[in-house]
Amino acid sequence: MPAAISLLNLVPQDKKNAIFTGLIGLLDKLLAIHRLDQLYVDHQLAGLSKEQFAIKLLGALNVTIEGTHELQQKVPSSGPLVIASNHPFGGIEGVILAYVIGQIRPDLKVLANQGLQLFSELKDYFIFTNPLSERDPRNGPSLRTTLRHVKQGGALLIFPAGRVSYYQKDKKRISEHQWNRIVANLVARTQAQYLAVFVSGQNSPLFYRLGRIYYRLRMLMLPRELLNKRDSKIKISAGTCVPSNVFSTTIDDLEQTALQRIQSYVQDPLWHYDWPASSTIALQPLIAQVSGTVIKAELANLEVNQKLLSYRNLDVYYGYYEQLPQTVQEIARLRELVFREHDEGSGNSLDTDDFDKTYTHLFVVERDEGRIIGAYRMGQSDRLLAMGISNPFYLSAMFTFSKQFINRQEPCLEMGRSFLVPEYQSSFHGLLLLWRGIGRFVCQFPQYRTLYGTVSLSKLYDPRSVSLIQHALVIPTVDATANTPFNFPVSPEVADFAMRYPLKNHLSSLLAGIESDGKDIPILLRHYQKLGAKFHCLGIDSNFNHTPGLLLSVDLASTPEKLGKLYLGEGWQSYKEYSE
């Protein structure tokens, strides 16, 4: 009876003869393929359906799979889908992923190396190709079949490296070959969703040693490595599906594929970090709301120039604690209310400190009701230093500023504690009015050329996202350092990518594959980017529930003309030309 699994299965019928068959039998033994055949016989694998084959093979090897349920939850039940995975073992991961994903997507096809034709029971999964050679003319029919399958709404699993992971001397670690550009091409041409998967684990040390002697030995060792997975645990980690329109259309296939490759590697559980548990034991009830009547009475006593602008039923003011004690109290109450939504609240009945008494408050109020809808707290650096306080800056609790930092070199505005009440968070007008208020303020006081402050990166973001933002945007400086640094480096594969391509251009795509709710970088951070902000460092605010904050500065006079006119209005030109 012929072997159920043999290299002879790959040989065309007209090429088979007694001598050739004998040589193939010898090669089967050298490569341990005969042991795979014995596994077939002992566990009656031959002739099973693809699902039953996968179940019985994994059972025969006693392989435990972790992350199955989580992966299946990430797989959409219908629609065009491209799933790409790393290739750490060279065989067993294909069986695992095809079976696990196939339970959700019965239409799944796997673009696979021709060597997997050894497993004839799995042929219904596979579209065979030669991914080692992008220009192999024999790949044409396979790739056309693949494209048609995805365009028709099918799901495709691909291992774009085309070869098993191996030790790379230049990286000094086990890693993958660059991915085949077909993955980027398929996503772009079919408008498919993209799901990155990472399979954890490595082959035996002997596999990597022999591979360093001669690369083709890796392929010859794969049957033995499959059998070596007996009694092992294999963990699967999946990202969040990324819609095709999230990827930039202005980059070439090579860069796009490199991006999609690291989207797989950022799922590596070795690159994982959990935020410290919230330090807030119990949330105190918020203080009573200050009535609009009281707020309007305080506003009526301000100087005329302290009303910065109006829009419909909304007015923007600035003022100081001694002028507006009740208004500042209401701002502090609302800050606590909003910050709690992002796990950043202090837990106290209002969010306040001694800096509320020395800083400038810029806020938006509903004129009819006297209701605060958003605010910024600004520190006028020259005014604060003139008070003679030993450490007048709020952000000194989070960062160490040298004497060369801008807040001691020139008049600056330290910006912080910004918020919008929930009803206005999705409104363009709320944030726009705050920024127009800042613009009108600096037109009154044009000595303030620089804004600096932090953007809070809520702990609702995955730490990997925060690490990527830090790595992409921060240019370290000795003039400002974090008192409590965020010591969570990016994956080595991401670091390699960032040396070739601008990571900041791909933050949206990377975060889309990490964040389960699909959120992008914070709106305020994107806004500062448009203003040409410099990002100095990222620190943890240990006094604010360990919230990560990104320190930045903006040279207002150097902002793009369009934004300068938007925020400063008629005063933009004179502000730019101001000289003390």
Side-chain angles (χ1 to χ4, degrees), residues 395-434:
L395 285 180
S396 293
M398 194 171 175
F399 303 99
T400 297
F401 299 114
S402 75
K403 291 182 179 180
Q404 282 68 49
F405 191 68
I406 46 179
N407 59 0
R408 293 185 181 271
Q409 293 293 308
E410 62 184 68
C412 298
L413 292 180
E414 181 183 286
M415 312 297 296
R417 283 298 201 263
S418 64
F419 74 89
L420 285 168
V421 296
E423 305 94 290
Y424 282 84
Q425 288 174 10
S426 59
S427 166
F428 173 71
H429 296 301
L431 185 60
L432 177 60
L433 284 173
L434 283 174

Side-chain angles (χ1 to χ4, degrees), residues 50-229:
K50 59 186 179 182
E51 294 85 6
Q52 285 299 314
F53 174 84
I55 293 170
K56 292 199 74 171
L57 175 63
L58 296 173
L61 293 173
N62 193 31
V63 171
T64 302
I65 309 169
E66 298 179 351
T68 298
H69 179 65
E70 291 81 0
L71 169 59
Q72 290 177 336
Q73 286 186 314
K74 302 289 183 67
V75 176
S77 59
S78 62
L81 175 67
V82 174
I83 307 158
S85 173
N86 66 320
H87 210 10
F89 306 125
I92 192 69
E93 65 270 47
V95 178
I96 291 171
L97 291 178
Y99 171 65
V100 171
I101 297 169
Q103 293 178 65
I104 305 299
R105 293 298 296 260
D107 61 340
L108 179 73
K109 292 293 183 182
V110 184
L111 192 62
N113 192 304
Q114 293 170 355
L116 287 174
Q117 292 185 66
L118 283 171
F119 302 108
S120 60
E121 289 76 13
L122 297 177
K123 65 180 183 298
D124 288 346
Y125 278 131
F126 296 139
I127 300 172
F128 291 109
T129 185
N130 178 15
L132 297 179
S133 175
E134 293 189 21
R135 295 179 175 83
D136 189 334
R138 293 172 296 178
N139 288 339
S142 299
L143 298 182
R144 286 192 292 273
T145 300
T146 298
L147 181 62
R148 184 167 57 250
H149 174 68
V150 180
K151 273 189 172 181
Q152 292 173 349
L156 177 78
L157 170 63
I158 182 171
F159 297 91
R163 62 190 75 179
V164 66
S165 300
Y166 58 99
Y167 181 83
Q168 298 189 30
K169 188 176 180 181
D170 56 336
K171 294 182 178 181
K172 296 182 172 57
R173 64 178 184 271
I174 294 165
S175 183
E176 276 196 302
H177 191 68
Q178 69 181 33
W179 280 13
N180 190 304
R181 287 178 287 180
I182 186 176
V183 63
N185 189 271
L186 278 170
V187 171
R189 293 180 66 181
T190 64
Q191 299 298 295
Q193 293 194 75
Y194 174 70
L195 179 62
V197 174
F198 186 85
V199 181
S200 301
Q202 295 182 355
N203 281 327
S204 68
L206 178 62
F207 173 85
Y208 299 112
R209 284 198 293 269
L210 291 177
R212 295 179 71 178
I213 295 172
Y214 182 51
Y215 73 98
R216 292 195 182 276
L217 292 176
R218 294 196 295 266
M219 182 67 74
L220 299 178
M221 284 283 290
L222 289 181
R224 292 181 181 275
E225 290 302 322
L226 188 147
L227 293 167
N228 285 346
K229 300 303 174 287

Side-chain angles (χ1 to χ4, degrees), residues 433-492:
L433 284 173
L434 283 174
W435 273 88
R436 281 188 169 172
I438 295 168
R440 298 293 176 86
F441 183 87
V442 297
C443 283
Q444 283 191 30
F445 304 99
Q447 69 269 28
Y448 297 112
R449 317 302 289 171
T450 304
L451 309 181
Y452 76 94
T454 60
V455 173
S456 290
L457 302 176
S458 166
K459 288 192 294 182
L460 297 179
Y461 281 92
D462 189 291
R464 292 172 295 170
S465 297
V466 175
S467 181
L468 286 167
I469 291 170
Q470 178 185 30
H471 196 84
L473 300 182
V474 168
I475 300 176
T477 171
V478 295
D479 294 339
T481 55
N483 296 337
T484 305
F486 180 62
N487 293 321
F488 182 44
V490 295
S491 158

